[in-house]
Amino acid sequence: MDNNTSFDLLVVGAGIVGLAHAYTAASRGLSVCVVERDAMCIGASIRNFGFITVTGQPAGDTWRRARRSRDVWAEVAPQAGIAIEHRGLHVVARRDSAAAVLEAFLKTPMGERCELDAAREVADQLPMLALANASAVLHSPHELRVESRDAIPRLAAWLARALGVQFRFGEAVLEVDAPRVRTSRALLNAERIVVCTGAEIHGLAAPALQGHPLQLCQLQMMRIEPHAGFKLPGAVMSDLSLVRYGGYAALPEAEALRRELEDDEAASAALLHGIHLIAVQSADGSLVVGDSHHYGDALPPFARDEVDALILDELRATLTLEQARVRERWVGTYPTSPHDDCVIETLGDAVRVVVVTSGTGASTAFGIAEDVFAAW
Ligand SMILES: Cc1cc2nc3c(=O)[nH]c(=O)nc-3n(C[C@H](O)[C@H](O)[C@H](O)COP(=O)(O)OP(=O)(O)OC[C@H]3O[C@@H](n4cnc5c(N)ncnc54)[C@H](O)[C@@H]3O)c2cc1C
């Protein structure tokens, strides 16, 4: 470890939000230190799908930041040795009411370069999708997918190697009193400090988050082994996503879909657990599949089999899988707000607290970091 203890910028937390701030500052020539309490990042940023989503993000800042972040990921990934596992998104609309939401979406500015086809017209080209009884398929070209558990450590290593960012892993920040930062191992100094501590909402970020009605949201995730040779055309989502993702769910057409889902026994059970489907594929052919959403002030870490079974039902209804063997299961947590996808708070001139309060941090962090520095 470098013995330097004074920096232009100190970042607390080495998840994607912290790394995005480190990247943005270091690429502008600032000296940057990232302090992470764990020996490696094991938070939301390595537990997610690595799905850098544009289409379906809520209109406004989140969609704008997602487009920008996707461009930055595309620029940085090859330099950092991060593979883009696949590109684009297919949304399978099984119900006509889901197809109506996609039709309406296509007419918004966010539908640019997306295509909607009748399921029967594209069934031959997309044999991995279960289209026999489906209504329509939306294709979006905008998305990227990275393997987060590999991408996050590679990004950190590249920031250190190529941009001189200093990392202090296994060191908790105990107090921020700008310009001083007291950690469990040292006293550091920085002109500016960004606190990016994710779901740790009762910790360092708490004073800045007081006015925000935040809760935690826990998700169940799985890694599935499909049958040999099974290949996704990119990320895949289904009807349930259209009442969950803001870019679709805010459309008036989503109301009829929501009512139809609530009247359907299996779909209403899924809705009860906040389930919708995202399936993405890794280099070894395995699929990362999820997810559910359970909310609370503190969330016990026990994954429920009935929830996984509902996710797998939706997966089997959407893909033509001959086999779906579960290889791994995990939970992940992020903070959530009823009002904001991201909270950026100021603590004096020198400190910013940046918390993504929705499941969109992998998709928006680079755009958020640029906004933070543009206003500072
Ligand atoms: C299961 C799951 C699936 C998701 N899927 C997607 C997806 O596909 N696409 C997408 O865009 N988003 C997705 N998200 C959301 C996304 O993962 C998060 O928004 C994002 O990872 C948040 O990044 P972060 O850096 O704020 O948090 P984290 O990754 O949790 O990092 C915060 C870091 O701060 C550290 N820290 C906390 N307190 C201290 C302290 N006092 N001192 C030092 N370090 C500290 C923690 O140890 C942690 O490493 C998903 C989230 C989950 C949980």
Side-chain angles (χ1 to χ4, degrees):
M1 189 192 294
D2 193 321
N3 285 329
N4 188 8
T5 54
S6 288
F7 306 91
D8 294 327
L9 178 77
L10 186 141
V11 178
V12 188
I16 188 57
V17 177
L19 296 183
H21 284 81
Y23 167 72
T24 308
S27 55
R28 294 172 186 190
L30 301 190
S31 64
V32 179
C33 175
V34 178
V35 186
E36 164 59 51
R37 70 175 172 194
D38 287 318
M40 57 185 275
C41 172
I42 52 166
S45 301
I46 63 133
R47 298 175 189 221
N48 61 32
F49 295 91
F51 180 31
I52 295 140
T53 321
V54 174
T55 292
Q57 298 289 11
D61 281 346
T62 304
W63 185 63
R64 175 179 59 77
R65 287 168 173 165
R67 281 183 299 157
R68 178 64 192 141
S69 294
R70 184 267 329 272
D71 291 348
V72 176
W73 271 109
E75 211 175 289
V76 161
Q79 299 178 63
I82 297 169
I84 301 296
E85 303 289 334
H86 53 61
R87 293 168 192 271
L89 160 72
H90 284 82
V91 184
V92 177
R94 288 208 294 286
R95 296 163 179 82
D96 290 342
S97 54
V101 176
L102 293 175
E103 250 171 68
F105 176 78
L106 227 62
K107 292 181 189 145
T108 71
M110 297 190 293
E112 195 201 347
R113 293 182 53 219
C114 295
E115 275 173 33
L116 185 66
D117 294 296
R120 64 178 177 285
E121 278 168 18
V122 287
D124 287 348
Q125 299 155 39
L126 298 167
M128 69 300 287
L129 304 182
L131 299 182
N133 297 311
S135 178
V137 182
L138 176 100
H139 174 246
S140 159
H142 303 301
E143 285 62 32
L144 301 179
R145 198 247 156 183
V146 298
E147 186 73 71
S148 292
R149 62 180 72 177
D150 179 53
I152 294 296
R154 278 180 189 266
L155 183 56
W158 176 73
L159 289 173
R161 202 170 59 239
L163 296 179
V165 174
Q166 188 182 130
F167 281 87
R168 300 175 72 107
F169 282 103
E171 184 167 338
V173 172
L174 305 177
E175 190 187 6
V176 171
D177 183 14
R180 282 179 312 138
V181 174
R182 189 165 61 87
T183 79
S184 48
R185 298 186 194 282
L187 201 55
L188 306 174
N189 275 277
E191 268 181 38
R192 294 195 266 181
I193 299 150
V194 191
V195 176
C196 307
T197 46
E200 209 57 41
I201 55 177
H202 304 300
L204 282 182
L209 299 177
Q210 266 172 15
H212 296 275
L214 300 188
Q215 271 199 313
L216 296 175
C217 174
Q218 192 172 78
L219 293 72
Q220 288 187 206
M221 303 278 288
M222 287 171 276
R223 185 175 290 272
I224 304 284
E225 264 181 38
H227 58 269
F230 182 83
K231 185 108 177 69
L232 284 184
V236 176
M237 297 168 98
S238 68
D239 291 10
L240 291 168
S241 308
L242 303 178
V243 294
R244 181 142 208 111
Y245 263 52
Y248 315 113
L251 296 166
E253 289 76 4
E255 210 31 60
L257 170 62
R258 189 186 307 278
R259 279 198 303 274
E260 198 176 331
L261 292 170
E262 281 166 358
D263 288 344
D264 175 309
E265 200 181 329
S268 66
L271 287 180
L272 209 62
H273 294 287
I275 287 171
H276 80 129
L277 180 72
I278 298 178
V280 292
Q281 193 159 32
S282 299
D284 66 358
S286 65
L287 308 180
V288 175
V289 173
D291 50 17
S292 54
H293 297 81
H294 294 104
Y295 298 87
D297 293 326
L299 295 159
F302 311 112
R304 281 192 262 164
D305 200 42
E306 66 182 290
V307 172
D308 286 350
L310 288 166
I311 296 171
L312 289 171
D313 286 348
E314 186 65 14
L315 180 74
R316 289 195 186 94
T318 308
L319 303 181
T320 51
L321 285 171
E322 288 161 26
Q323 167 193 305
R325 196 177 70 78
V326 180
R327 198 210 286 177
E328 286 178 341
R329 300 172 198 266
W330 67 97
V331 294
T333 304
Y334 60 71
T336 169
S337 155
H339 310 306
D340 306 295
D341 288 344
C342 175
V343 169
I344 301 170
E345 283 290 350
T346 296
L347 287 180
D349 287 345
V351 182
R352 299 290 179 271
V353 173
V354 183
V355 181
V356 175
T357 48
S358 58
T360 61
S363 308
T364 56
F366 288 110
I368 291 168
E370 288 184 0
D371 284 356
V372 166
F373 288 110
W376 196 2

